[in-house]
Amino acid sequence: MSSDLGEHSKQTTPDQTVTAHPPTLRRWVLFALLTLAVSCGLYVLFGPKPRTAEGVVVATADEAKASGYRQEGEISDSWGVEAAATKLESTRNVMAAHSSASSGGDRMFARTLAIYNLDDDLLMQRVGLEVFERLRDSGKFERVQYLPAGKRLPDGERLPEAFLTLDKREWNESGLPGNRRFEGKILVTASDRFQRSSHSYQNTLSPPQLSYRWRAEIDYTATQLGIETSGARYQAVSRDLAKEITERLTKLLDEKISEHGVPGELPEPFYPEYVEPPAFDFLAELKAEKWIDGPLFMAPVVAVWQTPAVRVPSEVLAIVSRSLAEADWDIPESISEGNYLRATKGNQVFEVFRENDGHYVAGEDAEAPRSMYLVYHRGMGVKELDEAVRRLFEERADESVLVMFQNHWYRHQELVEEYFSDQAPTTAESWLQLARFRKKRDPDAAREALLRANALQWVFHHKSADSSMKKLAKDLGIERLPQDISPEMMEALGFSDLREPGELELTVRENQPAAIGLGEDDEGQRWLLLTPIRRHGVHPERSLRIQMLTLRKGGWSQSDQTGGDLTKHDSRALTHRLGDGDELQVFSDPLDDDRYRLTLQRTAPEQDPETDPVPSANPPAAD
């Protein structure tokens, strides 16, 4: 029996065997692998930090780089997986408003941009970096700087030409993983200055630069379905918001550039050396925090500070005005509603205005403590500016640069006449100034100059004569300035003529439109404007802006599109339909960095340019 019992003890079940013997090496390995897989999965889901800027990041345009830019600054790039399998549905209600102020010759300065992120939470860090990378890749800027919350540019460094700020005003999240809901308000501002006031002043020393301010409040609601790793947190939402912000900003800038043009190459005298701002005693008393301090176009320094919201606006204005008055600044007798101060001293200006100046919320307490901005601006003096403008004429600067300073030409009339005695003006602004100079001395020459200014203004700016032009016309005996352009005026201004089917060859420069007369139809006088443009990061990089303009009695109409590829030699850049059976083909041949030879062939209805000979629109003169 003892033998049977011994044999019985060896016949155990599989479960009994597991508990009776230690785990094998194979089971230990499987357990370790399972633990590692779970740990890696948890790390991927909850460990890695999303990509964010770790300081100031700067991108500078560089054609030598494959990306088109050279970048400096650190962006966090934690080891891990940035992945998301999500679906985002969002609603973006945007309340936007903008204002601008300009005078003759003002241009849109937006070649360099600084993005200030005013909020440091993860969402805004993601949005800020995404906005920076989208604007960097747009190819619209020579330099883009991104400053996370708490960062600012070094004192004395040349300031950018445009500023963008990002701020989160409200944000709520709800739901469960896999089904999240986001609601919030994002405030975006853009301006030619950091936090520009709603008040605008211009004088003879003001730079020929468009002043503008833009404010957009995005009321955002979104539902996100799916899972995202920790490294991809807010990826879909930040991309969605950044797309909205960058599209609206670029649309604003493009409109202003189209309306006012961009500055040419400006010599160094218009960029004075940096001069430190005065050590105002009230800055410490108000605990003001500095935002910017540096030189820019026609200004040795612009500095901006912000006070905490611990004093009512009238108290801040009283402290500043009292201190400035003691230093012999000119203080206005009445300060606008206790919210704004503008004091002057020679070529220096000091402004004080409340945060969100010009934007009031119904029911807000006017006497509540407010954060205030303090702005110091020092411009070029009269002698400095006179000398700089004189050098432009003496060094034969391009006319596109000279017209920016047309408000100063009256101080250099002899130089102006000498400059244009060697080369005929090409802009409406130049002809208009000459008409004013010649009004008394040579009325006939003044009348001709005014008529040319009027024609150029219609074709290139699509504008009728303003009140000053009408008054000048009346003084010169012109009853009414014409709207249509006569053949004689076309020839005098060097406009190309393609009113009949044929071939035309012309050389054009980048960003400088060429005007081609197409004749008249039942609607009015038709014109074609062709402008070579370059769009970094877009294929094709070089293409044509095509504007069809019809001048009709009492107004005008225009269509605008971009197309064609100007990078290929001796190739057809585009085909454009002018009407039923009326077709225009454009052939391009790049000549150098910014010039192109364009060959235009206009085909009559039922004419095939491949088989029918195309007559030249500009036949050679007879011997």
Side-chain angles (χ1 to χ4, degrees):
M1 180 175 290
S2 60
S3 176
D4 292 338
L5 288 172
E7 291 180 1
H8 180 70
S9 66
K10 294 178 183 180
Q11 297 175 359
T12 57
T13 65
D15 289 339
Q16 291 173 322
T17 302
V18 171
T19 57
H21 297 279
T24 64
L25 178 61
R26 182 178 180 182
R27 289 192 178 95
W28 272 114
V29 171
L30 290 174
F31 178 75
L33 290 174
L34 179 62
T35 302
L36 180 62
V38 171
S39 299
C40 288
L42 291 173
Y43 175 77
V44 165
L45 287 174
F46 306 107
K49 178 186 175 183
R51 290 181 69 247
T52 56
E54 296 187 337
V56 178
V57 184
V58 182
T60 306
D62 188 344
E63 293 187 4
K65 300 287 187 180
S67 61
Y69 60 85
R70 180 179 69 258
Q71 186 163 304
E72 303 170 80
E74 296 296 326
I75 295 177
S76 65
D77 196 11
S78 303
W79 182 88
V81 179
E82 181 174 332
T86 60
K87 177 183 178 182
L88 185 76
E89 294 184 355
S90 66
T91 301
R92 302 175 300 277
N93 295 319
V94 183
M95 294 287 292
H98 82 273
S99 60
S100 61
S102 64
S103 61
D106 284 5
R107 298 292 182 259
M108 177 64 178
F109 283 64
R111 296 168 295 187
T112 56
L113 171 73
I115 305 166
Y116 280 76
N117 199 334
L118 306 183
D119 199 298
D120 64 352
D121 78 347
L122 181 57
L123 168 69
M124 292 306 294
Q125 291 182 52
R126 296 281 276 174
V127 171
L129 182 58
E130 187 71 29
V131 168
F132 164 76
E133 293 180 336
R134 283 175 177 267
L135 293 175
R136 174 201 66 191
D137 296 341
S138 70
K140 292 180 176 294
F141 305 95
E142 295 176 7
R143 182 178 171 91
V144 182
Q145 298 166 289
Y146 173 61
L147 295 93
K151 302 294 183 181
R152 68 182 189 90
L153 299 175
D155 289 352
E157 181 178 295
R158 183 181 292 183
L159 298 175
E161 295 176 346
F163 291 85
L164 179 72
T165 68
L166 309 171
D167 194 10
K168 183 188 70 180
R169 292 303 175 93
E170 298 177 16
W171 192 257
N172 293 295
E173 300 181 21
S174 58
L176 300 172
N179 189 346
R180 302 287 294 167
R181 181 174 175 82
F182 306 99
E183 296 177 286
K185 294 181 186 290
I186 307 296
L187 178 63
V188 186
T189 71
S191 178
D192 60 302
R193 300 278 180 85
F194 183 82
Q195 301 293 357
R196 175 175 280 281
S197 161
S198 63
H199 300 74
S200 178
Y201 295 85
Q202 289 194 328
N203 56 37
T204 56
L205 295 178
S206 297
Q209 178 177 1
L210 178 72
S211 300
Y212 68 95
R213 63 198 301 264
W214 174 74
R215 185 183 194 276
E217 187 172 278
I218 305 173
D219 193 343
Y220 187 78
T221 303
T223 300
Q224 178 175 291
L225 303 177
I227 300 296
E228 58 187 7
T229 65
S230 64
R233 190 177 180 194
Y234 294 127
Q235 176 177 281
V237 172
S238 64
R239 288 177 177 175
D240 194 35
L241 282 166
K243 182 174 182 291
E244 181 74 29
I245 293 168
T246 55
E247 285 182 352
R248 287 183 175 270
L249 175 67
T250 54
K251 181 176 183 292
L252 170 76
L253 298 182
D254 287 346
E255 289 175 352
K256 295 303 180 185
I257 289 173
S258 177
E259 182 179 356
H260 298 276
V262 296
E265 289 297 322
L266 296 164
E268 282 303 312
F270 291 99
Y271 290 93
E273 291 186 7
Y274 170 67
V275 176
E276 288 188 24
F280 297 107
D281 55 9
F282 51 77
L283 295 175
E285 180 181 354
L286 295 174
K287 295 182 173 56
E289 178 184 358
K290 185 188 289 184
W291 277 105
I292 63 170
D293 180 359
L296 73 169
F297 176 54
M298 290 181 62
V301 64
V302 171
V304 178
W305 300 264
Q306 185 178 13
T307 70
V310 296
R311 285 184 168 90
V312 298
S314 58
E315 183 182 356
V316 175
L317 267 62
I319 292 172
V320 174
S321 60
R322 182 170 56 250
S323 175
L324 292 177
E326 292 173 355
D328 296 326
W329 284 67
D330 293 327
I331 309 296
E333 293 183 2
S334 60
I335 298 176
S336 176
E337 301 177 359
N339 287 310
Y340 179 77
L341 166 68
R342 184 178 187 271
T344 60
K345 185 179 183 181
N347 60 342
Q348 302 174 88
V349 177
F350 201 98
E351 286 185 290
V352 183
F353 54 92
R354 51 172 275 177
E355 186 179 24
N356 296 325
D357 172 48
H359 179 77
Y360 296 91
V361 179
E364 68 179 6
D365 185 0
E367 293 302 316
R370 299 286 179 192
S371 178
M372 304 287 285
Y373 284 106
L374 316 177
V375 180
Y376 172 76
H377 176 275
R378 176 173 177 173
M380 293 177 67
V382 175
K383 292 183 178 180
E384 294 175 283
L385 185 54
D386 266 356
E387 180 59 28
V389 173
R390 175 179 291 276
R391 286 182 58 181
L392 287 179
F393 284 101
E394 293 176 343
E395 296 174 2
R396 315 302 289 178
D398 191 83
E399 183 184 352
S400 63
V401 174
L402 289 175
V403 295
M404 294 175 59
F405 302 93
Q406 60 187 270
N407 292 336
H408 300 273
W409 286 10
Y410 73 96
R411 301 173 67 90
H412 309 278
Q413 290 192 35
E414 290 185 6
L415 289 174
V416 173
E417 292 286 4
E418 180 185 343
Y419 180 93
F420 288 116
S421 67
D422 296 335
Q423 58 186 70
T426 61
T427 67
E429 296 99 327
S430 296
W431 281 115
L432 183 57
Q433 291 297 331
L434 290 177
R436 288 169 175 157
F437 293 165
R438 298 169 179 173
K439 174 183 171 182
K440 293 182 178 179
R441 186 177 72 249
D442 190 343
D444 289 339
R447 276 189 288 271
E448 180 61 25
L450 180 58
L451 290 171
R452 293 189 182 199
N454 175 67
L456 287 166
Q457 184 162 287
W458 269 118
V459 173
F460 289 119
H461 302 289
H462 322 326
K463 291 182 180 179
S464 60
D466 60 19
S467 58
S468 67
M469 288 179 67
K470 291 177 180 178
K471 183 180 184 304
L472 181 58
K474 184 178 180 181
D475 293 343
L476 291 170
I478 301 175
E479 184 177 343
R480 182 178 178 275
L481 289 169
Q483 181 171 333
D484 57 336
I485 316 301
S486 68
E488 294 77 17
M489 183 60 73
M490 287 180 60
E491 183 179 357
L493 292 173
F495 289 151
S496 299
D497 187 351
L498 200 56
R499 289 176 290 172
E500 300 294 335
E503 184 175 290
L504 173 69
E505 186 176 286
L506 65 156
T507 300
V508 293
R509 287 188 176 275
E510 198 169 281
N511 295 321
Q512 294 186 8
I516 301 100
L518 298 177
E520 297 186 12
D521 59 14
D522 294 339
E523 294 186 356
Q525 191 177 57
R526 295 196 300 169
W527 289 84
L528 174 67
L529 302 182
L530 297 177
T531 310
I533 60 174
R534 183 179 303 197
R535 302 177 296 174
H536 297 284
V538 178
H539 181 77
E541 187 176 84
R542 302 181 185 187
S543 56
L544 270 179
R545 183 185 181 195
I546 307 157
Q547 297 168 277
M548 289 295 302
L549 173 68
T550 301
L551 300 179
R552 57 169 61 92
K553 185 176 181 180
W556 54 273
S557 62
Q558 175 193 340
S559 64
D560 197 334
Q561 69 180 80
T562 300
D565 186 349
L566 301 184
T567 61
K568 300 176 182 178
H569 288 271
D570 297 321
S571 63
R572 179 158 47 190
L574 62 89
T575 299
H576 188 73
R577 292 182 59 82
L578 299 175
D580 292 338
D582 193 357
E583 191 173 76
L584 178 70
Q585 296 189 48
V586 181
F587 298 84
S588 169
D589 187 17
L591 298 179
D592 53 30
D593 227 13
D594 66 348
R595 294 191 310 140
Y596 305 85
R597 181 188 295 112
L598 299 182
T599 302
L600 286 68
Q601 292 182 354
R602 183 175 183 180
T603 307
E606 302 180 0
Q607 179 183 3
D608 186 349
E610 301 294 336
T611 59
D612 298 335
V614 179
S616 172
N618 295 330
D623 294 333

